Coordinates of all heavy atoms in Angstrom, one line a residue:
M1441 N 9.4 -5.2 10.0 CA 8.0 -4.7 10.1 C 8.0 -3.4 9.4 O 8.9 -2.5 9.5 CB 7.6 -4.5 11.5 CG 6.3 -4.0 11.6 SD 5.7 -3.6 13.4 CE 5.5 -5.4 13.8
I1442 N 7.1 -3.2 8.4 CA 6.9 -2.0 7.8 C 5.5 -1.3 8.2 O 4.5 -2.0 8.5 CB 6.9 -2.1 6.3 CG1 5.8 -3.0 5.8 CG2 8.3 -2.6 5.9 CD1 5.7 -2.8 4.2
F1443 N 5.6 0.0 8.2 CA 4.3 0.8 8.5 C 3.8 1.3 7.2 O 4.4 2.1 6.5 CB 4.6 1.8 9.4 CG 4.9 1.3 10.8 CD1 6.2 0.9 11.1 CD2 3.9 1.1 11.8 CE1 6.5 0.4 12.3 CE2 4.4 0.5 12.9 CZ 5.6 0.2 13.3
M1444 N 2.5 1.1 6.7 CA 1.9 1.6 5.6 C 0.7 2.5 5.9 O -0.1 1.9 6.6 CB 1.4 0.4 4.6 CG 2.5 -0.6 4.1 SD 1.6 -1.8 3.1 CE 1.4 -1.0 1.6
D1445 N 0.7 3.5 5.2 CA -0.5 4.4 5.5 C -1.2 4.5 4.0 O -0.4 5.0 3.2 CB 0.0 5.8 5.9 CG 0.6 5.8 7.2 OD1 0.1 5.3 8.1 OD2 1.6 6.5 7.5
I1446 N -2.3 4.2 4.0 CA -3.1 4.3 2.8 C -3.9 5.6 2.8 O -4.7 5.7 3.7 CB -3.9 3.0 2.5 CG1 -3.1 1.7 2.3 CG2 -4.8 3.2 1.2 CD1 -2.8 1.1 3.7
C1447 N -3.7 6.3 1.9 CA -4.4 7.6 1.9 C -6.0 7.4 1.6 O -6.3 6.8 0.6 CB -3.9 8.5 0.9 SG -4.7 10.2 0.7
V1448 N -6.8 7.9 2.5 CA -8.2 7.8 2.3 C -8.7 9.3 2.1 O -10.0 9.5 2.3 CB -9.0 7.1 3.4 CG1 -8.6 5.6 3.3 CG2 -8.6 7.7 4.7
G1449 N -7.9 10.1 1.9 CA -8.4 11.6 1.5 C -9.4 11.6 0.3 O -9.3 10.5 -0.5
S1450 N -10.1 12.7 0.0 CA -11.2 12.6 -1.0 C -10.5 12.2 -2.4 O -11.3 11.4 -3.1 CB -11.9 13.9 -1.1 OG -11.0 15.0 -1.0
S1451 N -9.5 12.6 -2.9 CA -9.0 12.4 -4.1 C -8.6 10.9 -4.3 O -9.1 10.1 -5.1 CB -7.8 13.2 -4.6 OG -7.3 12.8 -5.7
C1452 N -7.9 10.4 -3.3 CA -7.6 8.9 -3.3 C -8.8 8.1 -3.0 O -9.0 7.0 -3.6 CB -6.6 8.7 -2.2 SG -4.9 9.4 -2.7
H1453 N -9.8 8.5 -2.4 CA -11.0 7.9 -2.1 C -11.6 7.6 -3.4 O -12.1 6.5 -3.6 CB -11.9 8.6 -1.0 CG -13.2 8.0 -0.9 ND1 -13.4 6.8 -0.2 CD2 -14.4 8.3 -1.4 CE1 -14.7 6.5 -0.2 NE2 -15.3 7.5 -1.1
L1454 N -11.7 8.6 -4.1 CA -12.4 8.6 -5.6 C -11.7 7.6 -6.4 O -12.2 7.0 -7.4 CB -12.6 9.9 -6.1 CG -13.6 10.9 -5.4 CD1 -13.5 12.2 -6.0 CD2 -14.9 10.3 -5.6
T1455 N -10.4 7.5 -6.4 CA -9.5 6.6 -7.2 C -9.4 5.3 -6.7 O -8.7 4.5 -7.3 CB -8.3 7.2 -7.5 OG1 -7.6 7.6 -6.5 CG2 -8.4 8.5 -8.4
G1456 N -10.0 5.0 -5.6 CA -10.1 3.5 -5.0 C -9.4 3.1 -3.8 O -8.9 2.0 -3.8
S1457 N -9.2 4.0 -2.9 CA -8.4 3.5 -1.7 C -9.0 2.3 -1.1 O -8.3 1.5 -0.6 CB -8.3 4.6 -0.7 OG -9.1 5.8 -0.9
H1458 N -10.3 2.2 -1.0 CA -10.9 1.1 -0.4 C -10.5 -0.2 -1.1 O -10.3 -1.2 -0.3 CB -12.4 1.3 -0.3 CG -12.8 2.2 0.7 ND1 -13.0 3.6 0.4 CD2 -13.2 2.0 2.0 CE1 -13.5 4.2 1.6 NE2 -13.4 3.3 2.6
E1459 N -10.5 -0.1 -2.3 CA -10.0 -1.4 -3.1 C -8.6 -1.7 -2.8 O -8.2 -2.8 -2.7 CB -10.2 -1.1 -4.6 CG -10.2 -2.4 -5.5 CD -10.5 -2.0 -6.9 OE1 -10.2 -0.9 -7.3 OE2 -11.0 -2.9 -7.6
I1460 N -7.8 -0.7 -2.7 CA -6.4 -0.8 -2.5 C -6.1 -1.5 -1.1 O -5.3 -2.3 -0.9 CB -5.6 0.4 -2.6 CG1 -5.7 0.8 -4.2 CG2 -4.1 0.3 -2.2 CD1 -5.2 -0.1 -5.2
V1461 N -6.9 -1.0 -0.1 CA -6.8 -1.5 1.1 C -7.2 -3.1 1.2 O -6.6 -3.9 1.8 CB -7.9 -0.7 2.2 CG1 -8.0 -1.5 3.5 CG2 -7.3 0.7 2.4
E1462 N -8.3 -3.4 0.5 CA -8.6 -4.7 0.4 C -7.7 -5.7 -0.3 O -7.3 -6.7 0.2 CB -10.0 -4.8 -0.5 CG -11.0 -5.6 0.1 CD -12.3 -5.5 -0.9 OE1 -12.3 -6.4 -1.7 OE2 -13.0 -4.7 -0.6
L1463 N -7.0 -5.1 -1.4 CA -5.9 -5.8 -2.1 C -4.8 -6.1 -1.1 O -4.2 -7.1 -1.1 CB -5.5 -5.1 -3.3 CG -6.5 -5.0 -4.5 CD1 -6.0 -4.1 -5.5 CD2 -6.6 -6.5 -4.9
I1464 N -4.4 -5.0 -0.3 CA -3.3 -5.2 0.7 C -3.6 -6.2 1.7 O -2.9 -7.2 2.0 CB -3.0 -3.8 1.2 CG1 -2.3 -2.9 0.2 CG2 -1.9 -4.0 2.5 CD1 -2.2 -1.4 0.7
Q1465 N -4.8 -6.1 2.2 CA -5.3 -7.0 3.3 C -5.2 -8.5 2.7 O -4.9 -9.4 3.4 CB -6.7 -6.8 3.7 CG -6.7 -5.7 4.8 CD -8.0 -5.1 5.1 OE1 -9.0 -5.2 4.3 NE2 -8.1 -4.5 6.3
N1466 N -5.7 -8.7 1.5 CA -5.6 -9.9 1.0 C -4.2 -10.5 0.8 O -4.0 -11.7 1.2 CB -6.3 -10.1 -0.5 CG -7.8 -9.8 -0.4 OD1 -8.3 -10.0 0.6 ND2 -8.3 -9.5 -1.7
E1467 N -3.4 -9.8 0.4 CA -2.0 -10.2 0.3 C -1.3 -10.5 1.7 O -0.5 -11.4 1.8 CB -1.1 -9.1 -0.4 CG -1.4 -8.9 -1.8 CD -1.0 -10.1 -2.7 OE1 -0.1 -10.9 -2.5 OE2 -1.6 -10.4 -3.8
V1468 N -1.5 -9.6 2.6 CA -1.1 -9.9 4.0 C -1.6 -11.2 4.5 O -0.9 -12.0 5.1 CB -1.5 -8.7 4.9 CG1 -1.2 -9.0 6.3 CG2 -0.8 -7.4 4.4
T1469 N -2.9 -11.5 4.4 CA -3.5 -12.7 4.9 C -2.8 -13.9 4.1 O -2.4 -14.9 4.8 CB -5.0 -12.7 4.7 OG1 -5.4 -11.5 5.3 CG2 -5.6 -13.9 5.3
K1470 N -2.9 -13.8 2.8 CA -2.5 -14.9 1.9 C -1.0 -15.3 2.2 O -0.7 -16.5 2.2 CB -2.7 -14.5 0.5 CG -2.6 -15.6 -0.6 CD -3.0 -15.1 -1.9 CE -1.8 -14.3 -2.6 NZ -2.1 -13.8 -3.9
N1471 N -0.1 -14.3 2.5 CA 1.3 -14.5 2.7 C 1.7 -14.5 4.1 O 2.9 -14.6 4.6 CB 2.1 -13.4 2.0 CG 2.0 -13.5 0.4 OD1 2.2 -14.4 -0.2 ND2 1.2 -12.4 -0.1
H1472 N 0.8 -14.6 5.0 CA 0.9 -14.6 6.5 C 1.9 -13.6 7.0 O 3.0 -13.8 7.6 CB 1.5 -16.1 6.9 CG 0.7 -17.2 6.3 ND1 -0.6 -17.4 6.8 CD2 1.0 -18.0 5.3 CE1 -1.1 -18.4 6.0 NE2 -0.2 -18.9 5.2
L1473 N 1.6 -12.3 6.5 CA 2.5 -11.2 6.8 C 1.9 -10.4 8.0 O 2.3 -9.2 8.1 CB 2.8 -10.4 5.7 CG 3.5 -11.1 4.5 CD1 3.4 -10.3 3.2 CD2 5.0 -11.2 4.9
E1474 N 1.1 -10.9 8.8 CA 0.4 -10.1 9.7 C 1.3 -9.4 10.8 O 1.1 -8.3 11.2 CB -0.7 -10.9 10.5 CG -2.0 -11.3 9.7 CD -1.7 -12.6 8.9 OE1 -0.5 -13.1 8.8 OE2 -2.7 -13.1 8.3
D1475 N 2.5 -10.0 11.0 CA 3.4 -9.6 12.0 C 4.5 -8.7 11.3 O 5.4 -8.1 11.9 CB 4.3 -10.7 12.6 CG 3.3 -11.5 13.6 OD1 2.3 -10.9 13.9 OD2 3.6 -12.7 13.8
D1476 N 4.3 -8.5 9.8 CA 5.3 -7.8 9.2 C 4.7 -6.5 8.6 O 5.7 -5.6 8.1 CB 5.8 -8.6 8.0 CG 6.6 -9.8 8.5 OD1 7.6 -9.7 9.1 OD2 6.1 -10.9 8.1
V1477 N 3.4 -6.4 8.6 CA 2.9 -5.1 7.9 C 1.9 -4.5 8.9 O 1.0 -5.2 9.4 CB 2.2 -5.5 6.6 CG1 1.4 -4.1 6.1 CG2 3.2 -6.1 5.6
V1478 N 2.1 -3.2 9.3 CA 1.1 -2.5 10.1 C 0.5 -1.5 9.1 O 1.2 -0.6 8.5 CB 1.8 -1.7 11.2 CG1 0.7 -0.9 12.0 CG2 2.5 -2.7 12.1
M1479 N -0.8 -1.6 9.0 CA -1.6 -0.8 8.0 C -2.5 0.2 8.7 O -3.1 -0.2 9.6 CB -2.2 -1.8 7.1 CG -2.8 -1.2 5.8 SD -3.4 -2.5 4.8 CE -4.9 -2.9 5.4
S1480 N -2.5 1.4 8.1 CA -3.5 2.4 8.7 C -3.9 3.3 7.6 O -3.2 3.4 6.6 CB -3.0 3.1 9.8 OG -1.7 3.7 9.6
G1481 N -5.0 3.8 7.8 CA -5.6 4.8 6.8 C -4.9 6.2 7.3 O -4.7 6.5 8.3
C1482 N -4.9 7.1 6.2 CA -4.5 8.5 6.6 C -5.2 9.5 5.7 O -5.7 9.1 4.6 CB -2.9 8.7 6.5 SG -2.4 8.5 4.8
F1483 N -5.2 10.7 6.1 CA -5.7 11.8 5.3 C -4.7 12.3 4.1 O -3.5 11.7 4.0 CB -6.2 13.0 6.2 CG -7.3 12.6 7.0 CD1 -7.2 12.5 8.3 CD2 -8.5 12.2 6.5 CE1 -8.2 12.2 9.1 CE2 -9.7 11.7 7.2 CZ -9.4 11.8 8.6
C1484 N -5.0 13.1 3.4 CA -4.3 13.5 2.3 C -2.8 13.6 2.4 O -2.3 14.2 3.5 CB -4.8 14.8 1.7 SG -3.9 15.4 0.2
L1485 N -2.0 12.9 1.7 CA -0.5 13.0 1.7 C 0.0 14.1 0.8 O 1.3 14.2 0.8 CB 0.1 11.6 1.3 CG -0.3 10.4 2.3 CD1 0.1 9.2 1.6 CD2 0.5 10.5 3.5
G1486 N -0.8 14.9 0.3 CA -0.2 16.0 -0.6 C 0.3 15.6 -1.8 O 1.0 16.3 -2.4
K1487 N -0.2 14.4 -2.2 CA 0.5 13.9 -3.5 C -0.8 13.5 -4.5 O -0.7 12.5 -5.2 CB 1.4 12.8 -3.4 CG 2.6 13.0 -2.5 CD 3.7 13.5 -3.4 CE 4.9 13.8 -2.5 NZ 5.9 14.4 -3.2
C1488 N -1.8 14.2 -4.3 CA -3.0 13.8 -5.1 C -2.7 13.7 -6.6 O -2.2 14.7 -7.1 CB -4.1 14.7 -4.9 SG -4.6 15.3 -3.2
N1489 N -3.2 12.7 -7.4 CA -3.3 12.8 -8.7 C -4.5 12.0 -9.1 O -5.2 11.3 -8.2 CB -2.1 12.1 -9.4 CG -1.9 10.7 -9.1 OD1 -2.7 10.0 -8.9 ND2 -0.6 10.3 -8.9
R1490 N -4.9 12.2 -10.4 CA -6.2 11.3 -10.7 C -6.0 10.0 -11.1 O -6.8 9.3 -11.6 CB -6.9 12.2 -11.7 CG -7.3 13.6 -11.3 CD -8.3 14.2 -12.1 NE -8.8 15.5 -11.6 CZ -8.3 16.7 -12.0 NH1 -7.4 16.7 -13.0 NH2 -8.7 17.8 -11.5
A1491 N -4.7 9.5 -11.1 CA -4.5 8.3 -11.6 C -4.5 7.2 -10.7 O -4.8 6.0 -11.1 CB -2.9 8.3 -12.1
G1492 N -4.6 7.5 -9.4 CA -4.7 6.4 -8.3 C -4.4 6.8 -7.0 O -4.4 8.0 -6.7
V1493 N -4.1 5.9 -6.1 CA -4.1 6.1 -4.7 C -2.6 6.3 -4.1 O -1.8 5.7 -4.8 CB -4.7 4.8 -3.9 CG1 -4.6 5.0 -2.5 CG2 -6.1 4.6 -4.3
S1494 N -2.4 7.1 -3.2 CA -1.2 7.3 -2.6 C -1.0 6.5 -1.4 O -1.9 6.3 -0.6 CB -1.0 8.8 -2.2 OG -1.1 9.6 -3.3
V1495 N 0.2 5.9 -1.3 CA 0.5 5.0 -0.1 C 1.9 5.4 0.4 O 2.9 5.5 -0.3 CB 0.5 3.6 -0.5 CG1 0.9 2.6 0.7 CG2 -0.8 3.0 -1.0
R1496 N 1.9 5.5 1.7 CA 3.3 5.9 2.3 C 3.8 4.7 3.1 O 3.0 3.9 3.7 CB 3.1 7.0 3.3 CG 4.5 7.4 3.9 CD 4.3 8.6 4.8 NE 3.1 8.6 5.8 CZ 2.6 9.7 6.3 NH1 2.9 10.8 5.9 NH2 1.6 9.4 7.2
I1497 N 5.0 4.3 2.7 CA 5.6 3.2 3.5 C 7.0 3.9 4.1 O 7.9 4.2 3.5 CB 6.2 2.1 2.6 CG1 4.9 1.5 1.8 CG2 6.8 0.9 3.3 CD1 5.4 0.5 0.8
G1498 N 6.9 3.9 5.5 CA 8.0 4.5 6.2 C 8.0 6.0 5.9 O 6.9 6.6 6.0
E1499 N 9.0 6.5 5.2 CA 9.0 7.9 4.8 C 8.8 8.2 3.3 O 8.7 9.4 3.0 CB 10.5 8.6 5.2 CG 10.9 8.4 6.6 CD 10.2 9.2 7.5 OE1 9.9 10.4 7.2 OE2 9.6 8.7 8.6
E1500 N 8.6 7.0 2.6 CA 8.5 7.1 1.2 C 6.9 7.2 0.8 O 6.3 6.6 1.3 CB 9.0 5.9 0.4 CG 10.6 6.0 0.4 CD 11.2 6.9 -0.5 OE1 10.5 7.3 -1.5 OE2 12.2 7.6 -0.1
I1501 N 6.7 8.1 -0.1 CA 5.3 8.1 -0.7 C 5.3 7.7 -2.1 O 6.0 8.2 -2.9 CB 4.7 9.6 -0.5 CG1 4.7 10.0 0.9 CG2 3.3 9.7 -1.1 CD1 4.2 11.5 1.1
Y1502 N 4.4 6.7 -2.4 CA 4.2 6.1 -3.7 C 2.8 6.6 -4.1 O 1.8 6.5 -3.4 CB 4.3 4.6 -3.6 CG 5.6 4.1 -3.2 CD1 5.7 4.0 -1.6 CD2 6.7 3.9 -3.9 CE1 7.0 3.6 -1.2 CE2 7.9 3.6 -3.3 CZ 8.1 3.4 -2.0 OH 9.3 3.1 -1.5
T1503 N 2.7 7.0 -5.5 CA 1.4 7.6 -5.8 C 0.9 6.7 -7.0 O 1.7 5.9 -7.7 CB 1.7 9.0 -6.3 OG1 2.6 9.0 -7.4 CG2 2.1 9.9 -5.2
G1504 N -0.3 6.9 -7.4 CA -0.8 6.4 -8.7 C -1.1 4.9 -8.6 O -1.1 4.3 -9.6
I1505 N -1.4 4.4 -7.4 CA -1.6 2.9 -7.3 C -3.1 2.6 -7.6 O -3.9 3.1 -7.0 CB -1.1 2.4 -5.9 CG1 0.3 2.8 -5.6 CG2 -1.4 1.0 -5.7 CD1 0.8 2.8 -4.3
T1506 N -3.2 1.6 -8.4 CA -4.5 1.2 -8.9 C -4.6 -0.3 -8.9 O -3.5 -1.0 -8.7 CB -4.7 1.6 -10.3 OG1 -3.8 0.8 -11.2 CG2 -4.6 3.1 -10.5
R1507 N -5.7 -0.8 -9.1 CA -5.9 -2.2 -9.2 C -4.9 -2.9 -10.3 O -4.5 -3.9 -10.2 CB -7.4 -2.5 -9.5 CG -7.6 -3.9 -10.0 CD -9.1 -4.2 -10.1 NE -9.8 -4.5 -9.0 CZ -9.7 -5.7 -8.3 NH1 -9.0 -6.7 -8.8 NH2 -10.4 -6.0 -7.2
D1508 N -4.9 -2.1 -11.5 CA -4.0 -2.6 -12.5 C -2.5 -2.7 -12.2 O -1.9 -3.6 -12.8 CB -4.3 -1.6 -13.7 CG -5.7 -1.9 -14.3 OD1 -6.4 -2.9 -14.0 OD2 -6.1 -1.0 -15.0
N1509 N -2.1 -1.9 -11.5 CA -0.5 -1.8 -11.2 C -0.3 -2.4 -9.8 O 0.8 -2.3 -9.4 CB 0.0 -0.4 -11.4 CG -0.4 0.7 -10.6 OD1 -0.9 0.4 -9.5 ND2 -0.3 1.9 -11.1
F1510 N -1.3 -2.8 -9.1 CA -1.1 -3.2 -7.8 C -0.1 -4.3 -7.6 O 0.7 -4.3 -6.7 CB -2.5 -3.6 -7.0 CG -2.2 -4.0 -5.7 CD1 -2.0 -3.2 -4.7 CD2 -2.2 -5.5 -5.4 CE1 -1.8 -3.6 -3.3 CE2 -1.9 -5.9 -4.1 CZ -1.8 -5.0 -3.0
R1511 N -0.3 -5.3 -8.6 CA 0.6 -6.5 -8.4 C 2.0 -6.1 -8.5 O 2.9 -6.5 -7.7 CB 0.3 -7.5 -9.6 CG 1.2 -8.7 -9.7 CD 1.4 -9.5 -8.6 NE 0.2 -9.9 -7.8 CZ 0.3 -10.2 -6.5 NH1 1.2 -10.3 -5.8 NH2 -0.9 -10.4 -6.0
E1512 N 2.4 -5.3 -9.4 CA 3.8 -4.7 -9.5 C 4.3 -3.9 -8.2 O 5.4 -4.0 -7.7 CB 3.9 -3.9 -10.7 CG 5.4 -3.4 -11.1 CD 5.5 -2.5 -12.2 OE1 4.4 -2.3 -12.9 OE2 6.5 -2.2 -12.5
F1513 N 3.4 -3.2 -7.8 CA 3.6 -2.4 -6.5 C 3.9 -3.3 -5.4 O 4.8 -3.1 -4.6 CB 2.4 -1.5 -6.2 CG 2.6 -0.8 -4.9 CD1 3.5 0.1 -4.5 CD2 1.6 -1.0 -3.9 CE1 3.6 0.9 -3.3 CE2 1.7 -0.5 -2.5 CZ 2.6 0.4 -2.4
W1514 N 3.1 -4.3 -5.2 CA 3.1 -5.2 -4.2 C 4.4 -6.0 -4.2 O 5.3 -6.0 -3.3 CB 1.9 -6.2 -4.1 CG 2.2 -7.2 -3.0 CD1 2.8 -8.3 -3.1 CD2 1.8 -6.9 -1.5 NE1 2.8 -8.9 -1.7 CE2 2.3 -8.0 -0.8 CE3 1.3 -5.8 -0.9 CZ2 2.2 -8.2 0.5 CZ3 1.1 -5.9 0.5 CH2 1.6 -7.1 1.2
D1515 N 4.7 -6.7 -5.4 CA 5.9 -7.5 -5.5 C 7.2 -6.6 -5.5 O 8.0 -7.1 -4.8 CB 5.8 -8.2 -6.8 CG 4.7 -9.2 -6.9 OD1 4.1 -9.6 -5.8 OD2 4.4 -9.6 -8.1
K1516 N 7.2 -5.5 -6.1 CA 8.5 -4.8 -6.2 C 8.7 -4.0 -4.9 O 9.9 -3.8 -4.4 CB 8.7 -4.0 -7.5 CG 8.8 -4.8 -8.6 CD 9.1 -4.0 -9.9 CE 9.3 -4.9 -11.1 NZ 9.2 -4.1 -12.3
T1517 N 7.7 -3.2 -4.6 CA 7.9 -2.2 -3.6 C 7.7 -2.6 -2.2 O 8.6 -2.6 -1.3 CB 7.1 -0.9 -3.9 OG1 7.3 -0.6 -5.3 CG2 7.4 0.2 -3.0
V1518 N 6.5 -3.3 -2.1 CA 6.1 -3.8 -0.6 C 6.9 -4.9 -0.1 O 7.5 -4.8 1.0 CB 4.7 -4.0 -0.6 CG1 4.3 -4.4 0.9 CG2 3.8 -2.8 -1.1
M1519 N 7.1 -5.9 -1.0 CA 7.9 -7.0 -0.6 C 9.4 -6.7 -0.4 O 10.0 -7.1 0.6 CB 7.9 -8.0 -1.6 CG 6.4 -8.8 -1.6 SD 5.9 -9.3 0.0 CE 7.0 -10.6 0.4
T1520 N 9.9 -5.7 -1.1 CA 11.3 -5.3 -0.9 C 11.4 -4.5 0.3 O 12.4 -4.7 1.2 CB 11.7 -4.4 -2.1 OG1 11.7 -5.1 -3.4 CG2 13.2 -3.8 -1.9
A1521 N 10.5 -3.7 0.6 CA 10.5 -3.0 2.0 C 10.4 -3.8 3.1 O 11.1 -3.7 4.1 CB 9.3 -1.9 1.9
I1522 N 9.6 -4.9 2.9 CA 9.5 -5.9 4.1 C 10.8 -6.6 4.2 O 11.4 -6.8 5.3 CB 8.4 -6.8 3.8 CG1 7.0 -6.2 3.9 CG2 8.5 -8.1 4.7 CD1 5.8 -7.1 3.5
K1523 N 11.4 -7.0 3.2 CA 12.8 -7.9 3.2 C 13.8 -6.9 3.8 O 14.5 -7.3 4.7 CB 13.1 -8.2 1.9 CG 12.4 -9.6 1.4 CD 12.8 -10.1 0.1 CE 12.0 -11.1 -0.5 NZ 11.6 -11.0 -1.8
N1524 N 13.8 -5.6 3.4 CA 14.9 -4.6 3.9 C 14.6 -4.5 5.4 O 15.5 -4.2 6.1 CB 14.8 -3.4 3.2 CG 15.4 -3.4 1.7 OD1 16.0 -4.4 1.5 ND2 15.0 -2.5 0.8
S1525 N 13.3 -4.4 5.8 CA 13.1 -4.1 7.2 C 13.5 -5.3 8.1 O 13.7 -5.2 9.3 CB 11.6 -3.9 7.5 OG 10.8 -5.1 7.4
E1526 N 13.7 -6.4 7.5 CA 14.2 -7.7 8.3 C 15.7 -7.6 8.5 O 16.1 -8.5 9.3 CB 13.8 -8.9 7.5 CG 12.2 -9.1 7.6 CD 11.8 -10.2 6.7 OE1 12.5 -10.7 5.9 OE2 10.5 -10.5 6.7
M1527 N 16.4 -6.7 7.8 CA 17.9 -6.8 7.9 C 18.4 -6.0 9.1 O 17.7 -5.1 9.6 CB 18.5 -6.2 6.7 CG 18.2 -7.0 5.5 SD 19.0 -6.1 4.0 CE 18.3 -7.3 2.7
Ligands
FES104 S1 -6.2 12.7 -1.3 FE1 -4.5 11.1 -1.3 S2 -2.7 12.3 -1.6 FE2 -4.2 13.8 -1.5

C-alpha cells in the first residue's frame, strides 16, 4: 500500500491539482487499486513551480505533474511504488 499526498496549495491548485486528483482516482478505480493506494490532499509541499502539481509518495516528492505527463508519472512512478510496497 502506498500513501499519496496531492498538493492542493495555491500554486498547485492553479496548475491543476483537481484534475490530477481526478486522473489518479480514475486509475485507481480502473485498475482496482482501492486497497493499494491511500490518497489525500495536503497543503504546500514547499516545491512549488509553475509547471504542474506536486505529489508526495511516501517520503519522495514529485513535481511538475500535469495532464500531459500524467500517464508517464502513473506508469513509471506510481505503479513502481505500488509494486515495491508489495515486496
Ligand atoms: S503549492 Fe504545491 S508545492 Fe507549493
Side-chain angles (χ1 to χ4, degrees):
M1441 176 184 289
I1442 62 166
F1443 293 86
M1444 292 181 81
D1445 294 316
I1446 296 92
C1447 181
V1448 294
S1450 43
S1451 173
C1452 290
H1453 173 74
L1454 289 174
T1455 54
S1457 13
H1458 285 90
E1459 192 174 28
I1460 298 303
V1461 167
E1462 227 178 87
L1463 290 168
I1464 294 170
Q1465 278 171 338
N1466 289 346
E1467 289 296 331
V1468 167
T1469 306
K1470 196 170 80 187
N1471 297 296
H1472 310 292
L1473 293 169
E1474 290 84 355
D1475 293 336
D1476 297 297
V1477 177
V1478 178
M1479 197 170 73
S1480 53
C1482 67
F1483 293 114
C1484 182
L1485 290 168
K1487 300 276 185 183
C1488 310
N1489 63 32
R1490 294 193 179 99
V1493 176
S1494 300
V1495 175
R1496 181 170 54 205
I1497 302 177
E1499 301 297 312
E1500 288 291 321
I1501 297 174
Y1502 302 90
T1503 60
I1505 300 159
T1506 64
R1507 166 176 279 283
D1508 291 342
N1509 63 25
F1510 178 78
R1511 172 55 45 203
E1512 189 183 354
F1513 170 68
W1514 179 266
D1515 289 345
K1516 290 193 179 158
T1517 306
V1518 182
M1519 289 310 291
T1520 301
I1522 292 170
K1523 279 182 195 135
N1524 288 343
S1525 76
E1526 291 167 354
M1527 291 178 186

